[in-house]
Amino acid sequence: MSGSAATPLLTVRGLKKRFGAVTALRNVGFSVERGEVTALLGDNGAGKSTTIKAIAGVAPIDEGEILLEGRPVTIRHPSEANALGIQTVYQDLALCDNLGICANLYLGRELIAKPTPLGPRVLRDVEMEAEARRVLKTLRINLPALDTPVASLSGGQRQAVAIARAVLWNSKLVIMDEPTAALGVAQTAEVLRLVRDLAGQGYGVILITHNMQNVFQVADNIAVLRLGETVLEARKANLTPDQVVGAITGTLAIGAAA
Amino acid sequence: MTTTTQPAVPVQSPFKRWLSGVANASDLGMLPVIAALIVIWIVFEVLNANFLTPRNLSNLAAQIVVTGTLALAEIYIILLGMIDLSIGWNSVLAASIFSLSTVFFHLPVVAGLVLGIVFATVVGFLQGMLVSRVGVPSFVVTLGGAMVAEGITLGILTPHGGSVPLSDSLTTAIGTLNLAPLWSWVLSIVLFGAYAAVTLNQIRQRTAGGHEGGYAAVMRLIGVGVLLFGAVFMLNAYRGVPFLLLIFLIALFASAFVTKSTQFGRHLYAVGGNAEAARRAGISVRGIQLAAFIIAGFLVGLAGYLDAARLGVASASVGNGDIMLNAVAAAVIGGTSLFGGRGSVYGALFGALVIESVSNGMNLLGAASSVRFIVEGGILLAAITVDTVLRLKRLRTGRA
Ligand SMILES: Nc1ncnc2c1ncn2[C@@H]1O[C@H](COP(=O)(O)OP(=O)(O)OP(=O)(O)O)[C@@H](O)[C@H]1O
Ligand SMILES: [Mg+2]
């Protein structure tokens, strides 16, 4: 699909990935626009996680193209993805339960002061808390006191911490792998609201989920993978849930990407 | 997701909030161990009225130093979720190198001291390399390291009859002298003033940022003041604050700063809490592990020297088993979780106080060492059980 005048934030084309004898990705391609949510759908084993691991640099692709703002990029390591402004909220969240909310938000890039050129690297906790509070406010996330250990938060709150963490790193593209799995109704609604807010603030979002209702609530663009291939990519407005389900299960033959 | 920023119960005094926070916390900090310490002291005082005397408590203050410093070293490793079984023999090795180089090779005392501590630090570094680069479990590496250190120590000291008396003036002074009462007061008042200023400043900055909960900090400040001035009062009633204790406290406060206020400390807790999350956050997990082993090695070397100074002799017979086990016990009793990522360096002080109070009290009662072992082992098992139960409680509530 095309039509937008500006280059998309992210375009992937012809991604291929083999694990020994298993071909996980044969031909994956889709785009993500700034300020939009692209839902990545597909049955179990379709290759969704493999695709985002490729974009996040966790498991680099064998063949194919990744274009960021029109420029081809190679991403072979998570730190390279981070440097390009790509942040991933993993399914297992990767938070340190023993640390507080603020410590988790800034993990690995704490604000520090060096009283002498040789160190010590002293934490600027008060400033980190103030900045974190500001970011949480722009995302309309309410959390308990910022030194509360993450272990004592609810699933939705932990998800919110993980998402806010991704946003704090000057990112352009936020990838989320099943952020609403295992959440209750109210918490799911809150996380979806957060996803919409991110897009509203200009971030590009890739959202993986199995929940069709969620997809139609928040996505702008929908890409469906089947057996490692993109079988459908279209604007949500041009699709019905039945068509999407058909594409996922393979019962509905859709010619090319609409 | 929360939709409330207010506490669930609308009107509640800060004191009640603090109290219920304490009651529901899965990490109680130093409170349980301080409570246990009070019980132990009362029991021993009832059994023998000589226990809570300035003289005996001054002895106790010197007795906790080696266990406390070793426990401090061990806490750096336990925070990683690892264990170091070599701290006992490595400390004795540092002391024997010191004694040999100063008594037989006539090195200046300070040079010998540096040599001993550097040696222990290098042992820590080598063990850290095996653990972090090669990935050998710390338990195995340090068990092997302990045996090597024991072998070298015996090799060094056996030709000299197994022990070398120390008589240089620095070592004697550190091992036996005290900071005069007046200076003890001055120092403690200055230190407490600085601590209070920092705490109050933090509370002010936080509340300015809309953060509540300065109450816990104020309670902590009061608690620290009571403990500090009570201890100084007690020690001054005898001869003042032992230099040994002063050195341990300096190491303790420096460690508190390193673990709580620096980026390294934050990463140390992160690696111990969730190494995979730390790695994905760009933290060099191996680097943190190696650094922890190096710091522990340094503290172990210091502990070895302090032990030799206290006893006036570098001896191979002090290394056997229980100084290491006492230190591990002190760390765990002080609330450091063997599962990694939880605990505080102050646990070294209070854990060592518990262990050494029991040992001291039993000695006063003339108890056989068989009984002492059983009681100390029982306390260790109780502490580990509490640690495990609290962890299970956290796991349950953490998934809620
Ligand atoms: N590390 C690996 N080694 C071998 N095969 C793998 C590996 N990772 C993924 N695969 C295979 O690649 C295919 C795609 O897996 P992937 O995890 O991307 O699916 P998914 O769409 O995320 O599924 P789900 O909805 O279950 O999470 C599967 O057949 C899977 O077995
Ligand atoms: Mg998956």
Side-chain angles (χ1 to χ4, degrees), chain B residues 190-250:
Chain B
V190 168
L191 280 179
F192 185 74
Y195 177 66
V198 169
T199 306
L200 293 175
N201 188 34
Q202 265 173 5
I203 294 174
R204 205 171 43 74
Q205 277 176 315
R206 292 237 158 111
T207 39
H211 184 284
E212 62 142 302
Y215 204 75
V218 173
M219 294 298 272
R220 185 147 18 94
L221 188 62
I222 295 171
V224 169
V226 170
L227 286 178
L228 176 68
F229 292 118
V232 171
F233 180 77
M234 206 42 143
L235 294 172
N236 279 348
Y238 188 56
R239 284 178 183 163
V241 177
F243 279 138
L244 283 170
L245 182 65
L246 207 58
I247 294 173
F248 167 56
L249 290 181
I250 291 170

Side-chain angles (χ1 to χ4, degrees), chain A residues 82 90 92 94-99 103 107-110 112 120-123 125-126 128-129 133 141-147 151 153-158 160 165 169 187 190-191, chain B residues 1-5 202 205-206 209-212 257 260-264 266-267 269-283 340-342 394-395 397-400:
Chain A
N82 293 347
Y90 294 96
D92 58 5
L95 299 173
C96 286
D97 275 350
N98 57 329
L99 296 180
L107 194 62
R109 64 207 150 105
E110 291 82 5
I112 53 159
R121 300 158 75 87
V122 182
L123 295 169
D125 275 319
V126 175
M128 284 192 270
E129 279 196 18
R133 210 172 282 116
I141 300 175
N142 280 320
L143 289 172
L146 290 184
D147 53 1
L153 300 184
S154 72
Q157 288 174 324
R158 293 164 60 86
R165 183 179 146 64
W169 290 86
Q187 297 197 345
E190 184 65 20
V191 169
Chain B
M1 187 90 20
T2 50
T3 47
T4 56
T5 35
Q202 265 173 5
Q205 277 176 315
R206 292 237 158 111
H211 184 284
E212 62 142 302
F257 173 75
K260 291 295 179 195
S261 302
T262 70
Q263 190 176 36
F264 166 74
R266 180 65 51 82
H267 292 179
Y269 277 87
V271 169
N274 186 343
E276 176 59 18
R279 194 185 65 79
R280 289 194 211 162
I283 295 170
R342 279 168 216 273
R394 281 195 303 266
L395 286 179
T397 53
R399 299 283 146 87

